[in-house]
Amino acid sequence: MAQGSGKQMSGRSFLMPGLGALFVPREWLRGDLVAGVTVAAYLVPQVMAYAGVAGLPPVTGLWSILPALALLVYR
């Protein structure tokens, strides 16, 4: 039983609690896509600039995005 929620979790929800986040209402798709493109539009130049400030090649900043993407997939 989830502590404090008062309801029992099913087997799948107990083993993989983030799985429910994959099934969202279809109406949210457009807003989620706009948010994703917006974040990517400022994230890519930002990480490239941070790499440049650190004295590293800009491509190093692009590689730094991968751990964040991995966390997104496996949350």
Side-chain angles (χ1 to χ4, degrees):
M1 184 160 14
Q3 195 167 8
S5 70
K7 65 180 184 178
Q8 191 169 2
M9 297 175 73
S10 69
R12 249 190 307 187
S13 296
F14 181 73
L15 294 175
M16 296 178 281
L19 193 61
L22 295 176
F23 304 104
V24 296
R26 191 175 207 137
E27 302 86 43
W28 294 3
L29 183 61
R30 184 170 184 228
D32 286 349
L33 287 174
V34 170
V37 170
T38 302
V39 168
Y42 80 82
L43 182 66
V44 171
Q46 179 184 15
V47 297
M48 291 175 70
Y50 279 142
V53 168
L56 300 168
V59 72
T60 306
L62 293 175
W63 281 106
S64 70
I65 297 173
L66 292 180
L69 291 177
L71 285 174
L72 175 68
V73 172
Y74 294 108
R75 63 180 165 132

